[in-house]
Amino acid sequence: MKENVLCVKGIKKSFGGVHALKGVDLTIKKGEIHCLAGENGCGKSTIIKVISGFYKPDGGTIEIDGKEYANLNTAEAISAGIQVIYQDFSIFPNLTVMENLAFNQVLAEKKKFVNKKEYRKIAEEAVRKINFNVDLDARVESLSVADKQLIAISRALLHNAKLIIMDEPTTALTSKEVKRLFAIINELKKEGITILFVSHKLDEVFEISDSITILRSGENVHSCPIQEMNEEKFTYYMTGRNFDAVPEKEKISFEERKSMLKTENLSAPGFENISFDLHEGEVLGIVGQLGSGRTELSLALSGMLKPFAGSIFLEGKEVRLNSVSEAQKCGIALVPEDRLTEGLFLPQPIYKNISVTCLDALAKMAGVLKEDDEKTLSQSWVDDIGVATKDHTLPVSTLSGGNQQKVVLARCLATKPKVLILNGPTVGVDIGAKYDIHKLLRGLAKNGMAVLVVSDDVAEVSALCDRAIIMKAGKFAGELKGEELNNENLYKVTA
Amino acid sequence: MDKKIKKVVKQTEFYILCIIIVFAVIIQIRSGQFFTSNNLMDLVRSMIVPGIYALCALLSFVSTGADVSFPLIAALSAYIAVLAGNTWSLGVVPVFLIAVITGCLIGCINGFFIVRYRFNSLIVTLGTSSICSGILFGAFEAGRTELPEKLYALSKVNIATVKNESSGLGSALPGTFIIMIVLYAAAYFILNYTMVGRSVYALGGDEISAERAGINVKKVRFGVYVVNGGIAAIAGLCYAMMSYFYMPNEYAGAEMLVIAAVILGGTRMSGGIGTLKGCLLGTFLLTMVSNSLILFGISVYWEKVVVGAIIIIGTAISAMQAQRASNPFAVRRKKEA
């Protein structure tokens, strides 16, 4: 019988009348990889903060390694061997790798002075633990996201960690980097370190974890070894609703249909010689890793990046897209990669975010806008797409990731595009909203819209698209359609 | 070795040094007066006060944000110290102590509003600046004031004098130079070799990470503004010593050039990055330009144009470098290609 490294029971926590946790139990056995799953806002981050001593719970008990803690604070949690790797990694971008690794430990030892030699020793020890090859004198801001994460992991290991909590560690990683991370996690497991892996990505959860706990709106819904879990149960427990499968793809050939968007040997900085033909009612996937040129391609097709060779045809006619507004006029709409920085006006109300693309159409004489018109337009889209909000005059920043993405979609659709380009349509979106968005996209395609999905999420493309083009290092690397289009084949070609 | 050279070349400080050398050579060729002992000493002399101010600007930028109050904190606390010194005929040390304490107290006001209410540091320090100026000219009706006897005697002491044989011009290095050196040495040690100093950088890099690591963010930030007040007060007295009189009207307006010098020296306005070396080089460059253009026979008005141009070009270089450095996407792409 393995003992438990962590056992919390009946944890309650509320913030000003809002019950974030309503009695959560979590038991983690020593040496296992335990997954904590749940949709956004289910209380995952709150329970992590309780375990790490950041929040004091209103009720319940915390037992670490068999010892009960009545008033757990952060210092106690750390000395008990609990380490949290936050999504932002808690690093100092302006300092060197060496200092980042050593700083927290030296600070925790309450030392007053800096000893560079000691720093280097600590740092070297830290990176050796996971065989991480990095220039210790480099500034952390110049490193990739994956390397920053490895710094956070190796730093966590310094503190004789028994339980490492990783808060959605794979969000910003490419699939190659995720593989490397998983290898390291398994390595840690062999050394007897327990991992609490927080995620809502289905395939990752099944790949890495030994057992799983699912939370929903502040309550435990289910805990079991991973073998007893399957995809259907997982989505059911996560969302509390049963999904009918995403509408079946049309099993027809699109080649006969009218060509909506066609490129011939299109080349721009980042990719070259890309040719494809997107037909009416078709959902075409462009799959590739970060740096494969997929993002650049989507930018070129929406007028944000100037191609230096090749041509773009829209409904058979050659077009030159010099700006976003020209692309919009041609009927091309883009859902950008990062909705927070490229898509939304976060502090602005939802309805303004939706109406912004149609201001010209809404404007009356002499360009005067009536707010009521904007609101009517927005309300109809909010209802149509199902943005979960009480009031569309609230700022967009109050919405969850999935609903924010729906707002971006609504705004694009409000321009009545003929071709819809989506770059990473469900990045940072929970399962429920992901399902809604997929369903919506299939519906749009059925009504004749041509949809181009640019993504590195292989599972998404194979579930959603009729056909997929694979890009690698800026070049065309293959095409899959019909029965061939499945996860295994896609993995094979993209990796 | 190769790697080390590469690293040096990448630093902003290196570019500033290059610009300094180029300017020096040009001035030397045009006027033949640059590399003369008295000119060089004059340069060092006139960078003492801006150099001390630069410490204030560096500390505030690295930890939080702009501090523009240091010239008026300097003016007010120096005045109070001089006044007290004259009234009770105090020695040098008590006068300096009074100045530093007054400066720190005004710094506390800055720190209190910036830390407690999380107000923007630029706004708060603009406010205290204005209040200090009001108190100085309104309540105290400060005017040109003689220094306390002992302070005056000390200000006449030079640590070195030189005379240019050919032109007959002489120049002296005042004792305040030692104060600057001591302050820089102390700052260098604290910023690089104590956890408090490193906390200042850590805080500027990422406040949340700093808090999670266990740094008392509020205390450090408050401390920075208190220390800034003290340093400014010392600069204020140095300035009075170097002109042998306390002159209240000479203080205001120094902040722009100092901030420009610090930014030029590679300090990042968004926090976390900046070195003392950069501070000194930036201050030296701007002092050199404003002093030496006279040697060209260029009018004072054009001097301002040149200084402005240097600020824009210089800061553009450091801004571009910062952008490149903090763009992991570019690095990643290079790796994967």
Side-chain angles (χ1 to χ4, degrees):
Chain A
M1 186 67 194
K2 278 185 188 170
E3 47 187 322
N4 295 331
V5 67
L6 179 86
C7 180
V8 298
K9 282 210 171 78
I11 296 288
K12 288 190 185 119
K13 176 81 194 167
S14 43
F15 300 97
V18 180
H19 298 287
L21 299 177
K22 310 168 195 161
V24 171
D25 301 340
L26 181 63
T27 308
I28 303 173
K29 288 193 196 107
K30 207 167 237 173
E32 72 172 353
I33 298 174
H34 194 104
C35 174
L36 182 65
E39 298 208 292
N40 290 331
C42 68
K44 279 181 301 189
S45 343
T46 318
I47 186 83
I48 292 174
K49 284 185 174 152
V50 168
I51 298 171
S52 59
F54 210 81
Y55 288 153
K56 208 180 135 358
D58 302 334
T61 57
I62 304 172
E63 212 181 279
I64 303 170
D65 234 357
K67 193 178 156 210
E68 194 173 323
Y69 289 82
N71 280 314
L72 187 73
N73 61 35
T74 40
E76 275 177 344
I78 289 172
S79 60
I82 291 186
Q83 281 288 323
V84 185
I85 295 171
Y86 293 95
Q87 261 175 299
D88 59 7
F89 312 138
S90 271
I91 45 172
F92 303 106
N94 57 329
L95 304 181
T96 61
V97 173
M98 178 175 85
E99 209 168 358
N100 265 285
L101 288 168
F103 191 80
N104 290 21
Q105 182 166 8
V106 177
L107 197 74
E109 288 167 5
K110 299 225 184 318
K111 289 204 175 126
K112 293 271 178 281
F113 298 104
V114 176
N115 180 344
K116 289 263 157 77
K117 270 189 199 142
E118 187 196 340
Y119 264 44
R120 192 165 288 277
K121 223 179 95 199
I122 296 175
E124 275 167 359
E125 186 197 327
V127 292
R128 207 170 33 235
K129 279 189 177 160
I130 56 169
N131 291 323
F132 175 31
N133 196 357
V134 67
D135 175 13
L136 289 178
D137 295 313
R139 252 188 212 159
V140 166
E141 66 187 358
S142 65
L143 302 179
S144 70
V145 185
D147 283 350
K148 286 180 187 161
Q149 186 175 46
L150 292 183
I151 288 174
I153 294 175
S154 33
R155 189 178 59 189
L157 291 174
L158 278 176
H159 298 264
N160 283 324
K162 289 184 192 127
L163 171 67
I164 295 183
I165 302 173
M166 297 187 182
D167 190 2
E168 306 205 3
T170 59
T171 313
L173 302 189
T174 64
S175 50
K176 215 191 246 164
E177 290 164 339
V178 170
K179 281 213 181 85
R180 178 159 74 142
L181 175 69
F182 282 3
I184 289 170
I185 291 181
N186 279 321
E187 205 51 44
L188 295 176
K189 183 184 162 188
K190 269 186 213 150
E191 287 170 32
I193 293 167
T194 317
I195 312 272
L196 179 62
F197 186 88
V198 181
S199 176
H200 58 230
K201 284 190 196 158
L202 202 104
D203 45 341
E204 288 174 1
V205 171
F206 283 107
E207 187 181 339
I208 192 77
S209 44
D210 300 316
S211 55
I212 180 166
T213 297
I214 297 178
L215 296 185
R216 192 170 69 232
S217 45
E219 283 171 292
N220 288 68
V221 220
H222 196 71
S223 285
C224 68
I226 199 73
Q227 291 80 6
E228 293 169 22
M229 184 58 74
N230 63 30
E231 267 184 46
E232 263 164 53
K233 276 197 205 166
F234 183 79
T235 28
Y236 173 71
Y237 288 130
M238 288 265 282
T239 57
R241 44 182 178 146
N242 266 319
F243 294 108
D244 23 313
V246 172
E248 278 292 299
K249 297 182 221 171
E250 312 271 329
K251 292 231 165 66
I252 48 168
S253 164
F254 288 95
E255 273 153 40
E256 313 289 300
R257 296 241 194 137
K258 190 166 125 193
S259 157
M260 296 297 288
L261 180 69
K262 189 174 161 193
T263 65
E264 264 172 21
N265 299 325
L266 195 68
S267 305
F271 66 91
E272 53 189 34
N273 282 332
I274 299 292
S275 307
F276 67 84
D277 199 348
L278 173 63
H279 303 270
E280 192 175 25
E282 186 179 29
V283 182
L284 175 64
I286 306 271
V287 199
Q289 306 258 344
L290 200 66
S292 63
R294 61 180 156 92
T295 298
E296 286 81 355
L297 178 63
S298 73
L299 292 180
L301 292 174
S302 54
M304 273 190 265
L305 189 69
K306 220 178 158 134
F308 54 73
S311 35
I312 304 172
F313 298 90
L314 201 75
E315 293 182 271
K317 264 186 287 175
E318 183 166 1
V319 286
R320 294 216 167 273
L321 306 169
N322 291 319
S323 70
V324 180
S325 60
E326 274 178 44
Q328 265 178 9
K329 266 183 217 134
C330 296
I332 298 176
L334 171 76
V335 174
E337 187 172 25
D338 183 349
R339 61 179 165 269
L340 300 181
T341 57
E342 296 165 18
L344 291 166
F345 307 100
L346 287 173
Q348 297 258 16
I350 296 165
Y351 76 92
K352 290 218 165 169
N353 268 286
I354 292 179
S355 66
V356 68
T357 47
C358 321
L359 292 181
D360 281 340
L362 286 173
K364 297 263 152 41
M365 225 174 45
V368 178
L369 268 178
K370 270 172 97 181
E371 218 163 75
D372 286 342
D373 292 344
E374 286 184 67
K375 283 185 179 159
T376 332
L377 175 88
S378 139
Q379 192 63 53
S380 70
W381 281 105
V382 167
D383 297 341
D384 239 30
I385 290 192
V387 179
T389 178
K390 289 184 290 257
D391 184 358
H392 68 154
T393 58
L394 290 172
V396 164
S397 52
T398 59
L399 297 177
S400 71
N403 282 307
Q404 287 182 354
Q405 190 70 341
K406 285 182 189 171
V407 170
V408 178
L409 258 171
R411 158 205 294 183
C412 288
L413 294 176
T415 61
K416 303 196 178 71
K418 294 174 198 146
V419 179
L420 181 65
I421 303 171
L422 305 104
N423 194 354
T426 57
V427 173
V429 163
D430 57 52
I431 291 193
K434 190 171 179 174
Y435 169 80
D436 289 343
I437 289 172
H438 284 181
K439 200 168 148 191
L440 179 78
L441 291 178
R442 289 299 333 173
L444 289 169
K446 198 164 185 191
N447 291 332
M449 193 180 288
V451 181
L452 192 66
V453 175
V454 181
S455 176
D456 65 344
D457 185 344
V458 165
E460 165 162 71
V461 169
S462 66
L464 182 66
C465 300
D466 300 305
R467 190 156 61 97
I469 287 171
I470 294 100
M471 282 176 81
K472 227 183 211 174
K475 295 200 177 70
F476 174 82
E479 183 178 332
L480 292 170
K481 60 180 168 189
E483 295 293 310
E484 303 161 7
L485 180 55
N486 55 33
N487 285 356
E488 291 79 56
N489 282 344
L490 270 177
Y491 269 124
K492 245 181 264 164
V493 193
T494 46
Chain B
M1 189 60 208
D2 222 26
K3 211 171 140 197
K4 253 192 183 152
I5 293 173
K6 245 187 192 166
K7 215 175 156 188
V8 169
V9 172
K10 264 193 192 161
Q11 285 170 342
T12 320
E13 287 90 336
F14 176 77
Y15 290 101
I16 302 299
L17 193 64
C18 290
I19 298 175
I20 290 177
I21 293 169
V22 169
F23 260 95
V25 169
I26 293 174
I27 296 167
Q28 176 67 21
I29 293 170
R30 285 290 301 265
S31 67
Q33 294 290 315
F34 187 82
F35 290 108
T36 56
S37 53
N38 67 311
N39 183 52
L40 289 177
M41 195 159 278
D42 269 340
L43 269 183
V44 174
R45 189 190 153 90
S46 37
M47 74 174 281
I48 292 174
V49 173
I52 300 177
Y53 281 153
L55 284 175
C56 299
L58 175 77
L59 281 178
S60 64
F61 273 125
V62 165
S63 65
T64 325
D67 178 354
V68 294
S69 63
F70 48 85
L72 276 146
I73 294 183
L76 182 59
S77 36
Y79 181 71
I80 291 175
V82 166
L83 205 63
N86 280 336
T87 325
W88 297 301
S89 39
L90 296 173
V92 176
V93 176
V95 170
F96 264 93
L97 268 181
I98 292 173
V100 169
I101 290 169
T102 320
C104 288
L105 283 177
I106 306 173
C108 285
I109 302 176
N110 276 337
F112 177 74
F113 286 105
I114 292 166
V115 172
R116 177 76 200 275
Y117 298 104
R118 311 191 116 263
F119 287 159
N120 182 305
S121 63
L122 179 67
I123 306 296
V124 173
T125 52
L126 265 177
T128 37
S129 232
S130 181
I131 292 171
C132 286
S133 153
I135 293 174
L136 187 63
F137 295 105
F140 286 119
E141 293 180 354
R144 193 178 122 136
T145 314
E146 294 202 6
L147 299 183
E149 219 169 282
K150 284 181 184 136
L151 195 66
Y152 183 73
L154 182 72
S155 64
K156 285 284 188 193
V157 177
N158 292 319
I159 49 174
T161 46
V162 289
K163 198 166 168 115
N164 186 339
E165 295 302 333
S166 57
S167 64
L169 293 168
S171 180
L173 194 61
T176 46
F177 181 68
I178 295 178
I179 297 181
M180 180 179 105
I181 297 296
V182 170
L183 283 177
Y184 266 84
Y188 182 77
F189 176 74
I190 293 172
L191 286 180
N192 290 300
Y193 292 100
T194 67
M195 287 311 279
V196 176
R198 296 320 291 167
S199 301
V200 171
Y201 279 93
L203 166 64
D206 192 317
E207 194 181 332
I208 297 170
S209 305
E211 210 171 341
R212 287 191 195 134
I215 296 173
N216 189 334
V217 171
K218 288 184 174 173
K219 215 159 117 190
V220 173
R221 186 167 280 167
F222 186 77
V224 163
Y225 283 93
V226 175
V227 168
N228 263 0
I231 298 176
I234 294 175
L237 274 185
C238 288
Y239 193 57
M241 282 170 74
M242 285 164 70
S243 38
Y244 304 130
F245 280 104
Y246 173 79
M247 290 183 286
N249 295 314
E250 297 291 306
Y251 286 89
E255 67 273 10
M256 275 311 140
L257 200 71
V258 171
I259 289 175
V262 170
I263 301 294
L264 207 53
T267 302
R268 206 179 284 174
M269 290 180 89
S270 51
I273 291 186
T275 61
L276 292 169
K277 202 169 35 180
C279 268
L280 278 180
L281 286 172
T283 314
F284 186 79
L285 176 61
L286 287 191
T287 315
M288 178 174 105
V289 171
S290 49
N291 269 26
S292 307
L293 285 180
I294 308 165
L295 296 177
F296 271 150
I298 292 175
S299 93
V300 237
Y301 301 107
W302 282 106
E303 171 203 319
K304 290 202 167 162
V305 176
V306 175
V307 170
I310 289 179
I311 292 173
I312 294 178
I313 295 167
T315 43
I317 291 175
S318 29
M320 267 155 55
Q321 274 199 319
Q323 268 172 14
R324 220 179 308 151
S326 60
N327 184 357
F329 194 57
V331 175
R332 186 196 281 242
R333 209 178 284 169
K334 237 187 279 158
K335 254 192 209 164
E336 286 191 4

